[in-house]
Amino acid sequence: MENGGNSLEAKIEALLNVEKQMRQIGDVAGTRKAVTDILQLCIDAGAWATLNEQIVLISKRRGKLKQAVQAIVHQAMQYIDKTPDLDSKIELIKTLNSVSAGKIYVEIERARLIKKLAKIKEEQGQIAEAADLMQEIAVETFGAMAKTEKIAFILEQVRLCLDRQDYVRAQILARKISPRVFEADPSKEKKTKEGESIVEEAPADIPSLLELKRIYYQLMIRYYSHNNDYLEICRCYKSIYEIPSVKEDPAHWIPVLRKICWYLVLSPHDPMQSSLLNSTLEDKNLSEIPHFRLLLKQLVTMEVIIWTSLWNTFKDEFENEKNMLGGSLGEKAAEDLRLRVIEHNIHVVSKYYSRVTLKRLADLLCLNLQEAEKHLSDMVVSKALVAKIDRPMGVVCFQTAKDSNEILNSWSTNLEKLLELVEKSCHQIHKETMVHKAALRA
């Protein structure tokens, strides 16, 4: 065994001398061959510790050629999956990481190494360490990295942040990806960038752009679910719904369309929600799930919704959907659904009444006086509605208070309408008089 070790050291020494000669005369091909031969010798002998030592030694030699460093990093990366145990694998990755740190010409290789190391940490249950490792790399600055690989790397950073419940950092990282990038046509992409810089091909394990789009929006759904931001979750599902592979298969788009409907109903009323609601109602695919068309139709119809009858009709659907909505929602979603129905009913009442007693409002909403007043007050505070409550009289006024200019403008408009009517009446009287005189003359 000792002779074998001495023999290996002797061979490595001889090749190091060859590498030195090649390097000094500037022979790039010869230098690369010498360093890769050294690594191959170590692998053939199963000397993993020696391999690490030689990688560090070669990278620190005076006047080293960057092509030689590239060669050893490329070569050694192929050996990562051949390591006999996990410790050897981690040690090799760490060695290559230290060698490639700060070197632009092997930045892509370093990013891939960090990703491998983070995956190992995650498998060991060290989510925080894996997330910290991934955050060291800013792939958006890598000019030579393929677009899909960049997106996949950032999505992995976002996923690890969500796994460790670091929602602020997850949002910062997610903003590095513009949703417009998923609409690009991959066939029209340029293969070269900035003259001679060639954009590398993405590895085979990197998903396609459309698959990355789906992963991106699923991660964003996880992020928005943390704050129960129903409208944004709905928009994410809408984007997933537009993916061709989803839209072509009813088995895929029906569950997504159901989620879009539920999250639309759960979203507070605003212009964006109203726009999405109307566009969803116009979707022909909604005819495949008529139950949900009825649900959305009730929200756009200016009629009071009776909560008990609505809940009895859709309770089973809601229970079935609970798992798909996400385990964290559960009862909160049911409460929010009831709240949305109450808000819809208050909007309807405000359209039909300028003044109404609080008791009558409570009867229409199927609530007691305290609950009706609370929900009405919440909507006024959030500026979803304009109303005033006269508590001693128990009267709610939905009319907006007008300033002096608005009152004068309304008077002026009314006077203009009055004068128009007078003028039109005079014209009609004059016309009738002329017709009558003409008839008498005849």
Side-chain angles (χ1 to χ4, degrees), residues 98-316:
S98 65
V99 166
S100 56
K103 296 181 178 69
I104 292 174
Y105 50 89
V106 283
E107 61 186 2
I108 294 176
E109 286 75 12
R110 182 166 184 254
R112 291 169 184 167
L113 287 165
I114 291 290
K115 195 174 179 182
K116 284 179 185 288
L117 189 57
K119 190 174 182 184
I120 293 168
K121 293 282 185 189
E122 187 184 2
E123 286 168 357
Q124 293 175 338
Q126 300 173 12
I127 303 292
E129 288 84 345
D132 289 337
L133 272 171
M134 289 289 282
Q135 283 159 36
E136 290 176 15
I137 311 295
V139 290
E140 64 275 9
T141 62
F142 295 1
M145 184 181 267
K147 184 171 72 175
T148 50
E149 190 174 1
K150 279 185 195 178
I151 295 168
F153 195 94
I154 296 170
L155 290 178
E156 192 66 11
Q157 291 175 323
V158 173
R159 184 185 66 78
L160 285 167
C161 285
L162 289 173
D163 286 349
R164 73 185 289 194
Q165 298 184 337
D166 186 351
Y167 294 101
V168 175
R169 199 174 294 276
Q171 184 190 29
I172 293 167
L173 290 164
R175 282 180 177 168
K176 292 180 179 180
I177 300 173
S178 168
R180 284 178 298 184
V181 79
F182 299 115
E183 311 305 324
D185 185 356
S187 62
K188 292 181 181 176
E189 277 189 33
K190 294 179 181 177
K191 295 296 178 188
T192 57
K193 192 175 182 181
E194 295 177 8
E196 298 301 314
S197 179
I198 306 297
V199 177
E200 286 193 14
E201 290 291 325
D205 61 335
I206 300 296
S208 66
L209 198 61
L210 287 173
E211 181 62 20
L212 289 170
K213 178 180 180 179
R214 188 181 59 77
I215 296 167
Y216 168 76
Y217 283 112
Q218 284 176 339
L219 289 173
M220 294 315 295
I221 287 165
R222 279 182 63 189
Y223 169 73
Y224 290 123
S225 296
H226 168 64
N227 299 319
N228 288 329
D229 193 340
Y230 298 125
L231 186 59
E232 287 300 330
I233 295 171
C234 176
R235 291 177 68 190
C236 289
Y237 275 119
K238 195 84 173 170
S239 298
I240 293 173
Y241 180 68
E242 296 300 327
I243 297 172
S245 60
V246 173
K247 205 159 189 178
E248 289 165 6
D249 186 358
H252 289 153
W253 64 252
I254 286 178
V256 175
L257 190 55
R258 286 165 63 98
K259 290 181 179 69
I260 289 170
C261 293
W262 275 121
Y263 282 112
L264 268 174
V265 174
L266 288 166
S267 302
H269 179 78
D270 69 6
M272 176 66 78
Q273 187 260 3
S274 181
S275 173
L276 276 172
L277 189 60
N278 287 308
S279 66
T280 305
L281 272 168
E282 290 170 8
D283 190 344
K284 292 177 182 176
N285 287 340
L286 203 60
S287 59
E288 296 292 324
I289 43 174
H291 219 42
F292 286 88
R293 179 185 280 279
L294 177 65
L295 178 64
L296 297 185
K297 206 76 177 164
Q298 288 187 338
L299 284 180
V300 294
T301 307
M302 293 308 288
E303 292 180 7
V304 170
I305 300 171
I306 307 300
W307 164 249
T308 48
S309 64
L310 179 91
W311 183 242
N312 289 337
T313 308
F314 293 99
K315 185 179 180 182
D316 292 339

Side-chain angles (χ1 to χ4, degrees), residues 75-117:
Q75 184 84 355
M77 281 182 74
Q78 296 172 21
Y79 302 145
I80 291 172
D81 295 329
K82 297 177 182 177
T83 46
D85 52 57
L86 189 61
D87 290 337
S88 303
K89 180 184 278 193
I90 292 171
E91 195 59 40
L92 180 56
I93 292 173
K94 285 183 175 177
T95 302
L96 289 170
N97 183 33
S98 65
V99 166
S100 56
K103 296 181 178 69
I104 292 174
Y105 50 89
V106 283
E107 61 186 2
I108 294 176
E109 286 75 12
R110 182 166 184 254
R112 291 169 184 167
L113 287 165
I114 291 290
K115 195 174 179 182
K116 284 179 185 288
L117 189 57

Side-chain angles (χ1 to χ4, degrees), residues 427-441:
H427 179 70
Q428 291 290 344
I429 292 166
H430 183 65
K431 182 182 173 183
E432 286 293 322
T433 307
M434 294 296 288
V435 169
H436 188 64
K437 281 182 180 177
L440 286 173
R441 282 178 190 153

